[in-house]
Amino acid sequence: MIEPTRTLIALENLDRTTLGRLLDAAEEFLGSDASTAFRDRLAGQAAALLFHEPSTRTRFSFELAAKRLGADVLTFDTDTSSTTKGETLADTLANLAAMGVQHFVLRHGENGIMAELATTLPAHTTLVNAGEGTHSHPTQGLLDALTIRLHRPEIERLTVAIVGDIAHSRVARSTIAALQTLGVGSLRLVGPAAFLPAPGELAGAATDNLAAGLDGADVVIALRIQRERMAVGNCPDAEEYHRRYGLNIETLTAHAKPDVLLLHPGPVNWGVELDRELARWPQSLMHEQVRHGVAVRMAVLETMAHSLAVHG
Ligand code: CP
């Protein structure tokens, strides 16, 4: 059983055994009829989904995951909640806990908010990070790692290239953390200088040369330009970016391994980081990633419920 914990804030502090067990648990959900078989796991519990930033994949997959485990699900509309009247998030959680909510799933743009809320987390509740500023997106990191592990179990021998706006990406940080913990062979960080992390900030060899970054890669993870996290005027021109760093089948197969796998966390900006032809390419795993997201979030919520059962 996975070590009980009441929070999942980042992957950096999860050891290899714990991470591997979370992936194993998700794999078990994938291999079963998850629509009905597990409804007793969180029966009688409630999960509140508090999304302070837009989301499609994460929000709906958490909702589906919680429902498949038998929980009641409450969704929170930021614009019509009492946070618009000055109520703090800590008070919001305390009030929802008073109603009997056990699990909080939070997306928020502010770096550090998860750690801050963890210090005042109401008793008998759990907190899962569903995307925090540029810091972390742990369940995305887990589902990326699961997708890669299912196709290429020999992670220690893989070269993984991450291409795009790494500097502003919480996905990159969490996926890198997961792959490092699993002992990935080699990591490359590829993009224009403005999109690369500060030297030494993240593991991986950084380059602004796309061909060199893709050379011999087993897995390529493409990222979109995170315009919402840049000051107006600092964002590179999309056409220029596409010309220099846009990926298509020809570019990938010319430089990476012939059987290279392509991942993207979504949403994709077609015609910018990826050409549309990659949507139907058999080596593109975007929809598989999304499917794995439901199983990963079931594994995370079940772990949270287990922790409540052990520690209350
Ligand atoms: N990958 C991801 O976090 O997608 P959403 O923003 O749609 O949840």
Side-chain angles (χ1 to χ4, degrees):
M1 184 50 83
I2 297 159
E3 191 62 26
T5 171
R6 286 208 298 140
T7 62
L8 178 63
I9 293 177
L11 296 182
E12 280 80 352
N13 49 3
L14 289 193
D15 61 32
R16 191 167 181 163
T17 304
T18 306
L19 195 96
R21 284 181 183 161
L22 268 173
L23 299 185
D24 292 345
E27 215 173 313
E28 273 181 45
F29 285 125
L30 269 184
S32 317
D33 176 16
S35 59
T36 54
F38 308 107
R39 290 197 188 269
D40 57 331
R41 303 284 172 96
L42 264 71
Q45 300 186 30
L49 310 183
L50 305 111
F51 277 66
H52 289 257
E53 283 191 333
S55 170
T56 298
R57 281 150 288 270
T58 313
R59 177 176 159 161
F60 286 110
S61 59
F62 263 116
E63 180 165 351
L64 209 47
K67 285 179 172 168
R68 286 182 173 174
L69 294 170
D72 293 324
V73 178
L74 289 76
T75 52
F76 178 88
D77 184 347
T78 314
D79 294 337
T80 56
S81 78
S82 286
T83 56
T84 60
K85 295 181 274 186
E87 187 162 54
T88 65
L89 256 178
D91 281 345
T92 302
L93 265 51
N95 281 283
L96 290 171
M99 291 176 209
V101 171
Q102 285 83 13
H103 305 288
F104 299 112
V105 176
L106 175 66
R107 172 170 286 195
H108 204 285
E110 195 182 316
N111 285 338
I113 188 104
M114 304 288 166
E116 187 185 320
L117 285 171
T119 64
T120 57
L121 192 62
H124 314 300
T125 67
T126 74
L127 175 65
V128 178
N129 175 0
E132 177 192 20
T134 57
H135 259 188
S136 57
H137 192 349
T139 55
Q140 180 72 44
L142 289 170
L143 76 88
D144 288 348
L146 178 65
T147 304
I148 293 170
R149 194 179 81 162
L150 284 168
H151 284 266
R152 301 278 189 271
E154 68 297 357
I155 287 185
E156 293 89 346
R157 293 210 288 271
L158 296 183
T159 294
V160 178
I162 303 181
V163 182
D165 181 7
I166 296 156
H168 302 97
S169 173
R170 56 194 177 205
V171 172
R173 281 162 181 75
S174 288
T175 301
I176 288 170
L179 292 176
Q180 268 205 297
T181 302
L182 295 173
V184 68
S186 165
L187 267 173
R188 310 236 185 91
L189 312 178
V190 189
F195 285 175
L196 293 175
E201 189 197 343
L202 292 175
T207 176
D208 65 358
N209 183 313
L210 181 63
L214 294 179
D215 185 41
D218 300 278
V219 177
V220 172
I221 303 176
L223 301 172
R224 74 181 171 90
I225 301 173
Q226 312 256 312
R227 291 179 189 284
E228 70 276 24
R229 305 197 196 286
M230 288 176 218
V232 178
N234 283 357
C235 190
D237 176 67
E239 276 182 30
E240 170 67 5
Y241 179 84
H242 177 251
R243 198 179 59 73
R244 288 193 60 199
Y245 294 98
L247 299 176
N248 53 38
I249 295 172
E250 190 184 338
T251 316
L252 285 166
T253 51
H255 301 293
K257 294 228 173 101
D259 61 349
V260 63
L261 301 174
L262 176 67
L263 281 71
H264 189 305
V268 177
N269 291 138
W270 298 110
V272 183
E273 68 270 19
L274 297 183
D275 280 9
R276 175 66 77 173
E277 64 179 6
L278 289 166
R280 293 181 189 281
W281 194 41
Q283 288 159 236
S284 294
L285 302 180
M286 277 88 84
H287 286 159
E288 209 175 298
Q289 286 172 272
V290 174
R291 188 167 71 83
H292 295 164
V294 180
V296 157
R297 285 154 186 143
M298 288 176 78
V300 167
L301 288 172
E302 188 186 38
T303 304
M304 294 293 135
H306 169 67
S307 131
L308 282 188
V310 171
H311 290 305

